[in-house]
Structure formats: structure tokens, C-alpha cells
Amino acid sequence: MPRTDTLLLALDQGTTSSRAILFDRSAAIVSVAQREFRQHFPQPGWVEHDATEIWATQRATISEVLASAGVGIECVHAIGITNQRETTLVWDRSSGEPIAPAIVWQDRRTAPRCAQLKAEGREAFVRERTGLVLDPYFSGTKIGWLLDHVPGARARAERGELAFGTIDTWLAWKLSGGALHVTDPSNASRTLLFDLHTADWSDTLLALFGVPRAMLPRIVPSSGPIGEVELEGRRVPLAGIAGDQQSALFGQACFEPGMAKNTYGTGCFLLMNTGDRPQASASGLLTTAAWTIEGGPDAGRRYALEGSVFVAGAIVQWLRDGLGIIARAADVEPLARSVPDAAGVHCVPAFTGLGAPWWDPDARGALLGLTRGATRAHVARAALESIAFQSADLLVAMQRDAAEPLTELRVDGGASANDLLMQFQADLLGVPVVRPRVLETTALGAACLAGLATGYWDDAVTLARHWQVDRRFVPAMSRDEAAVRMADWHDAVARVRSGAA
């Protein structure tokens, strides 16, 4: 039967795949399409993407999701974009062609530049203005690297011939045929160039990082009338943009200060809504823009505290592709369950350094505590547990900064479907871990932002009613045992830190 209602289309452009998801008025998934794309590692510590391939895979998923749902583009009410953040791309405004591969958020090539800026005493100012630390994770030093290493790029950028964008900006540009060069505050606040207090690009920060203002996109609301794109000969409103983690916070209906979510994807990202003012962290966390809504009862800016784990679900990919001890990612849980514990084995997946609260770009991964009795099952269990240990470190830091104690943690992302991992996470944290029925909260957040802007839903209260629990994982481990487990983990982390003997 043909559909009589319109749908929202979310474009979810992630680190390893591009997806398109259609949602209906009950915030339920109608159809999903996904395509993976290649990861490039040209040198140790370097991670690159082909932006042309990203666009091709994302464009293909749009056609595929519509075909899968049996609808045409006329059934799409509006589009929302959510994206891997910090990944940095520079392209020619005339041709629309990238001048170099995109430098991915995981890339560490600008660590020396960050170290230089720290040595010059710049970090305190940068942190106060941006809420971020000086780390190669963010876009600012990546842009400078491209301008300094691609012949003629800096001069062309200063003449206004080049455009910078994170992946949301690239998709909006391609979808609109170059008419839209835009980003939203959630993505802008991850560049080291955005002043959280003025909600705009900072000339002082642009000068510090050597980035010409002419390259930068226009900052638009996360939810609002951003512009129109053309798909299959039809004009469709683009009405929502948010970086993947802020989008997941929104999709998890964490609309009130103190509410938090953790996304278990390629990395792990714990965010807490802190309300309408940026809140500084004293515990190694980041302060970031969450979203800006234009118009309606929910209009205004929201901010968040964030902790970032660089390698989470990616450790399962490494078990599969690097070590070959599992054939499919789904095999990791039954393998880990085949042993009662990790038998003293710890996996510290610092493949690209350590994120919050350590911020050590030179740390490297390790398997520790190996004996002749250790098996691939113990390694698998240690790898899964490393995801929970890293997330627990973030929550402890966040609890120190937060005004109110956290009473539950909402979870999403692919690895949140792993019951063993979720139970261990609740055991370490000592608070319930709550998994929703719809795990695609990153895409759902983008759809919700677009739906609010276009009247598809009236307000956030309506959206919150659609959020439903799948399962609550209640802590079963004593707090004393959890403390011992965390102490053992911290000992393992100390052994891989860059300052370790």
C-alpha cells in the first residue's frame, strides 16, 4: 500500500559507513540503507578518508532507502544530517574537488603542532574560549596542516578560492550543488576556531591557528530553515544538522540539564546536558555546544560536557581484521562469555593515543597480564571490558564536574546491543544503564531536529514521549569489587602512558 504520510530522512555519515534512515511520526524506523567505505592509513598515526567516496556512498544510500521503503522523494518531509565530527576537508570552491584526502578525527599527525602551542602557553586561552584542549583530535590544526603541506593551498585559501568543512558541511555543499556552505554550532564547536561565549568564529583563534576566515562556512541553527537541496528532481528542506554525539544526546531525549548518554560506536562518547550556559570542566572533559534551535517553544542554545574515548567499537574490528580471532563482530560476545572473566588480561586500546580524561596523544595500545593460560576468549573479554573501563573513567570525571549526581546512563550505538558489555558497564558505574528500543539515536536526533524545524512535531515534549526503554541493566557487582577492578585498570593505563618508564 502507498504511504499516506510523509517521512523524515536522516543522513548518518559515520567514520566507517554512510547510512540513510527514514523515520515516521512515531519516531520509528521505516527503512535503513548502509554502505561502508575504505579507511586509509598512509603512515603510522595517520587516518584519512576519500571525501568523494563518502559522498558517493551517502548519495547511494538515499536512493536505496527510498527504494527499500517503497516511496519516492515526494514522501520526504525534510532532511537532517548528522556526521563524524572533527574530520577535516578542504576543497576548491569552483570545481568542488577536494585538494587532499580528508584528515579523520582519529589522525594524530598534528601532535607536534599541539605540543608547540602548549609550550608557548596557549592552552589556557584556547580552553577558556573553546572549551577544548589542544589536541590533534580537533579540526583547527588539521586545517593548518593541509594549508601548509598542499602546494599553493594557503595562498588560494587567502584569496577565497578554497572552502573548509567538516563532513556535515561537505554533504550540505554536495546536496545543494554548492549553494550551501554551512555548519551548525555543534560541529563548529569542535574546530578550535569557535568561541563558545559569542557563538561565532573567533578572529583571535583564526589567527592563532593560521586559518583564513574566507574558508569558513556560515553557522546556522542545528534546527531551523537551513536551506533546500535537490534530490531526484525535487526540492526538499534541509532543516537539521548536528555532530553525531550531540545528535545522539538529542535523540536520547536528554533535553534537561543533568541528563546524559553514552554512545558506543567506533569511539565512545559520553555527553551530559548542562543547560543554556557553557560549563567549564576541572576534570579533563570538554565543554561543547550541544544544539541551537531556532523558533518554537524549545528555541535557544544548549551546551554539554563531553568525554571522548578514541577506540571503543573499533577494538572489536581490530579483533576481527587485525588479529583474526573472530570472523564477525557479533562473534565477540559469545566468545567473551565462554570464560568467566579475563583472567587478569587487560587490553588498553590506545591505538591513536588516549582521550579524556588523560589526553595523551603519544600513548600506545597494549595487551597486559598475559600468561600461558590466556586464550583468545580472554583477549576478547578484556577488549570488551576496556570499552566499559574507559567509559567509567569518563563518568567519574563528569560526576566531579556535574552539579547533580547522575542517576542513570542512557546508551546507544552498535556495541550497546552487547548485553555482556552493558551489564559490566552498570557494574562498574553503580547506576542503571538504560538501553532504548531505538538504538539509532544518532540518526533519530538529526531527524528530530529537522522535524521540529518544519512542524513535523510540535515540541520536545512530544519527542520525549516517543523515547521507550528496551532494557535496564542494574548493577550487580559490589562497590568494593568495582573499585578493585578500576584500580587494576588504572595500573594498566599507567603502563602505556607516554611518560611511563
Side-chain angles (χ1 to χ4, degrees):
M1 295 288 294
R3 295 193 69 94
T4 58
D5 192 14
T6 56
L7 304 170
L8 293 170
L9 173 60
L11 304 184
D12 183 359
Q13 204 301 298
T15 306
T16 59
S17 70
S18 300
R19 298 190 301 164
I21 303 181
L22 288 168
F23 292 91
D24 65 17
R25 287 190 189 274
S26 66
I29 294 173
V30 174
S31 184
V32 180
Q34 178 171 346
R35 289 200 179 193
E36 292 189 0
F37 55 88
R38 290 168 293 179
Q39 310 292 304
H40 301 274
F41 309 99
Q43 295 186 35
W46 289 29
V47 189
E48 295 180 345
H49 287 161
D50 179 345
T52 302
E53 184 182 10
I54 285 178
W55 165 241
T57 55
Q58 188 69 81
R59 183 64 185 86
T61 64
I62 298 173
S63 299
E64 290 167 5
V65 80
L66 293 172
S68 175
V71 300
I73 195 67
E74 69 277 1
C75 286
V76 175
H77 179 82
I79 296 174
I81 293 174
T82 184
N83 56 288
Q84 54 165 314
R85 305 170 303 171
E86 298 96 17
T87 294
T88 298
L89 182 63
V90 175
W91 64 92
D92 183 287
R93 288 185 180 273
S94 297
S95 69
E97 293 297 316
I99 67 169
I103 303 179
V104 179
W105 58 272
Q106 299 160 315
D107 191 283
R108 313 306 286 172
R109 75 185 68 180
T110 63
R113 175 61 176 150
C114 292
Q116 178 188 1
L117 290 168
K118 288 179 183 178
E120 293 173 359
R122 308 283 192 170
E123 185 160 46
F125 170 77
V126 169
R127 177 130 202 175
E128 193 276 328
R129 291 287 94 193
T130 69
L132 309 178
V133 297
L134 279 171
D135 190 88
Y137 178 26
F138 305 106
S139 306
T141 55
K142 292 176 167 66
I143 304 169
W145 191 95
L146 286 169
L147 296 184
D148 290 336
H149 287 81
V150 176
R154 183 166 293 281
R156 295 178 64 201
E158 290 170 352
R159 292 196 298 268
E161 297 172 8
L162 301 182
F164 152 72
T166 42
I167 298 300
D168 58 309
T169 304
W170 172 243
L171 292 182
W173 176 280
K174 298 298 285 186
L175 286 164
S176 66
L180 293 175
H181 185 211
V182 296
T183 192
D184 88 301
S186 71
N187 281 292
S189 68
R190 313 296 293 188
T191 62
L192 289 169
L193 307 175
F194 179 86
D195 190 319
L196 283 178
H197 307 282
T198 64
D200 198 3
W201 303 120
S202 162
D203 288 327
T204 305
L205 291 167
L206 291 174
L208 178 63
F209 291 99
V211 176
R213 181 178 271 271
M215 299 179 68
L216 300 181
R218 177 169 56 95
I219 300 172
V220 298
S222 312
S223 176
I226 296 166
E228 289 190 330
V229 302
E230 184 167 329
L231 289 173
E232 324 238 345
R234 187 180 180 89
R235 307 291 290 181
V236 182
L238 173 61
I241 295 177
D244 52 9
Q245 304 313 318
Q246 292 96 326
S247 187
L249 188 69
F250 200 82
Q252 284 275 36
C254 293
F255 302 138
E256 298 299 324
M259 299 181 73
K261 70 88 198 176
N262 196 23
T263 295
Y264 298 80
T266 302
C268 248
F269 301 89
L270 179 62
L271 272 75
M272 176 183 285
N273 185 331
T274 59
D276 59 3
R277 291 182 179 83
Q279 179 177 323
S281 170
S283 305
L285 301 179
L286 306 176
T287 304
T288 193
W291 56 75
T292 298
I293 296 176
E294 181 175 300
D298 304 297
R301 299 173 187 161
R302 293 295 180 268
Y303 296 87
L305 283 172
E306 175 174 337
S308 309
V309 169
F310 295 150
V311 176
I315 191 66
V316 178
Q317 292 178 316
W318 178 69
L319 295 179
R320 182 192 66 191
D321 303 333
L323 295 186
I325 68 173
I326 53 174
R328 301 173 304 133
D331 296 337
V332 70
E333 182 172 0
L335 179 60
R337 280 190 183 277
S338 70
V339 291
D341 54 48
V345 176
H346 276 97
C347 173
V348 184
F351 299 149
T352 56
L354 290 169
W358 314 106
W359 295 111
D360 187 343
D362 297 317
R364 287 298 175 261
L367 280 171
L368 302 165
L370 294 173
T371 67
R372 281 293 302 272
T375 67
R376 66 191 188 101
H378 295 112
V379 172
R381 189 159 186 129
L384 275 186
E385 289 182 352
S386 76
I387 301 173
F389 280 127
Q390 292 177 99
S391 296
D393 280 337
L394 299 183
L395 190 70
V396 169
M398 194 163 282
Q399 291 282 60
R400 287 197 292 263
D401 287 331
E404 299 291 333
L406 191 72
T407 57
E408 69 175 26
L409 179 66
R410 297 185 175 187
V411 297
D412 55 64
S416 68
N418 188 309
D419 289 351
L420 178 66
L421 173 60
M422 293 299 98
Q423 183 58 56
F424 188 64
Q425 187 72 86
D427 289 344
L428 290 180
L429 298 179
V431 299
V433 167
V434 184
R435 185 171 65 198
R437 288 187 182 179
V438 177
L439 289 180
E440 302 290 357
T441 54
T442 299
L444 177 58
C448 289
L449 289 166
L452 280 181
T454 54
Y456 195 77
W457 290 298
D458 293 333
D459 51 35
V461 173
T462 304
L463 293 175
R465 293 195 193 106
H466 294 310
W467 187 88
Q468 294 181 314
V469 174
D470 169 56
R471 181 170 172 184
R472 291 175 66 88
F473 296 86
V474 178
M477 183 183 291
S478 74
R479 304 318 304 145
D480 287 344
E481 182 181 353
V484 170
R485 297 297 304 273
M486 289 301 299
D488 289 344
W489 162 253
H490 290 149
D491 180 65
V493 170
R495 293 172 184 270
V496 306
R497 297 289 305 278
S498 57

